[in-house]
Amino acid sequence: FLRTARMGVENMALKETFNTSTRKEESMNRKITQRLCTILLLLFFYSPLLAATYTVDDDGPADFVKIQNAIDVAGPGDTIMVEAGTYNENISLKSDVDVMGAGFEDTIIKGGLTSHVVYANNVYNAVFDGFAVVDSGQTSSYAGIRINSGDLVVSNNLIANNLSGIRITGASSAIIKNNIVTINGFSGGYLDYGIISLHSTPLITNNIIARNRGAGIYIGWLDSAGTRIINNTIVDNEHDGIWCYKSAPIIKNNIIAGNQYGIAASHDPA
């Protein structure tokens, strides 16, 4: 009987020790979880404070001389400030990095008549603002600004002397606003455009689209139906002001004058 009682007491002691150890482990796990949650919340709310700003100047003291070098180094949330100057390069943008010029009157990117001047492939949550973008390649659908997919914001730029000013593809929902798109197109034919958008749904608003050698704006294919063309001035383009090919974009509150045709639609999208 005494042996059995002793074994019972020992078992109870072992269980109590095990339970105490388990409670301590659970308490420690809760504390670790709480600390991790706190760290994650701090990173979420204060990460903008950790973002860097890089400067670029082609002939003065700055972090970089070339825009592309700054883009390559920049990380999510960073901003690149480009000082006035002429930058002879073709650049590729990246997601979560804003590239800001000092104004298109003084900050010029020249593509050297090769390729796209500015390329944005699957770029999200980024802004390209304040540049003159000139001299794209003259063949193979090159453009001053080439956007494939993503939701890049293109604002306050002068886009001139390219094969097409802006070319948008890949289901992009880019925002094109407050730009001057002019004198683009080398051949003087229907295949040169101020802005061309295929299989995408951009917002094109508050731009001046003038004196391009083809159509001012071209919107193509059924899946472009969500495109919005609002509050633009579209004048003096050699062919159509707006050409809708198998597409039905929203067009409202635009000034359209002096083009060969104001708005042209071909091939019923139905």
Side-chain angles (χ1 to χ4, degrees):
F1 173 78
L2 290 174
R3 186 182 298 112
T4 301
R6 188 180 298 112
M7 289 178 61
V9 170
E10 290 175 352
N11 286 337
M12 289 178 63
L14 287 172
K15 287 181 181 180
E16 181 61 27
T17 301
F18 176 77
N19 290 336
T20 301
S21 176
T22 301
R23 284 194 296 272
K24 288 181 178 179
E25 185 175 350
E26 289 175 349
S27 177
M28 184 177 294
N29 287 337
R30 281 196 300 271
K31 289 179 180 178
I32 291 172
T33 301
Q34 289 170 354
R35 288 174 181 173
L36 286 173
C37 288
T38 301
I39 291 169
L40 290 173
L41 285 170
L42 288 171
L43 287 173
F44 178 79
F45 285 109
Y46 290 98
S47 59
L49 300 177
L50 304 177
T53 297
Y54 296 101
T55 58
V56 182
D57 195 332
D58 64 332
D59 60 1
D63 298 318
F64 299 94
V65 175
K66 293 287 188 181
I67 300 170
Q68 189 61 58
N69 292 343
I71 294 171
D72 292 342
V73 169
D78 291 348
T79 299
I80 297 168
M81 303 298 297
V82 183
E83 300 297 330
T86 299
Y87 299 86
N88 296 292
E89 54 182 312
N90 305 79
I91 67 172
S92 295
L93 305 178
K94 65 166 62 169
S95 293
D96 301 303
V97 175
D98 295 341
V99 180
M100 313 296 288
F104 66 74
E105 300 91 346
D106 303 307
T107 317
I108 304 165
I109 305 177
K110 301 181 72 173
L113 302 177
T114 62
S115 189
H116 313 294
V117 185
V118 178
Y119 184 42
N121 183 37
N122 204 34
V123 171
Y124 289 88
N125 192 32
V127 176
F128 179 78
D129 181 285
F131 294 89
V133 178
V134 302
D135 294 348
S136 78
Q138 300 182 39
T139 59
S140 302
S141 302
Y142 289 136
I145 300 177
R146 174 73 166 89
I147 301 169
N148 182 59
S149 190
D151 61 2
L152 178 69
V153 175
V154 176
S155 56
N156 302 309
N157 302 287
L158 170 65
I159 302 157
N161 200 44
N162 305 286
L163 181 64
S164 290
I166 302 174
R167 187 177 185 90
I168 305 167
T169 59
S172 172
S173 56
I175 297 175
I176 313 298
K177 64 179 183 178
N178 302 327
N179 303 282
I180 300 173
V181 183
T182 187
I183 316 178
N184 295 287
F186 295 114
S187 69
Y190 278 100
L191 299 181
D192 300 336
Y193 312 98
I195 299 173
I196 174 172
S197 179
L198 306 173
H199 306 289
S200 297
T201 55
L203 169 61
I204 302 171
T205 184
N206 294 317
N207 302 282
I208 297 173
I209 302 163
R211 300 175 60 201
N212 296 287
R213 297 187 180 98
I217 300 176
Y218 178 97
I219 306 297
W221 306 108
L222 296 174
D223 48 2
S224 296
T227 298
R228 292 166 290 163
I229 303 172
I230 301 171
N231 295 334
N232 301 282
T233 299
I234 306 168
V235 298
D236 298 330
N237 298 285
E238 290 186 10
H239 295 290
D240 305 321
I242 302 174
W243 181 5
C244 306
Y245 179 81
K246 289 189 176 181
S247 64
I250 297 168
I251 302 172
K252 65 180 183 180
N253 298 334
N254 299 283
I255 297 171
I256 304 174
N259 309 286
Q260 184 179 35
Y261 299 100
I263 301 174
S266 58
H267 296 79
D268 185 352

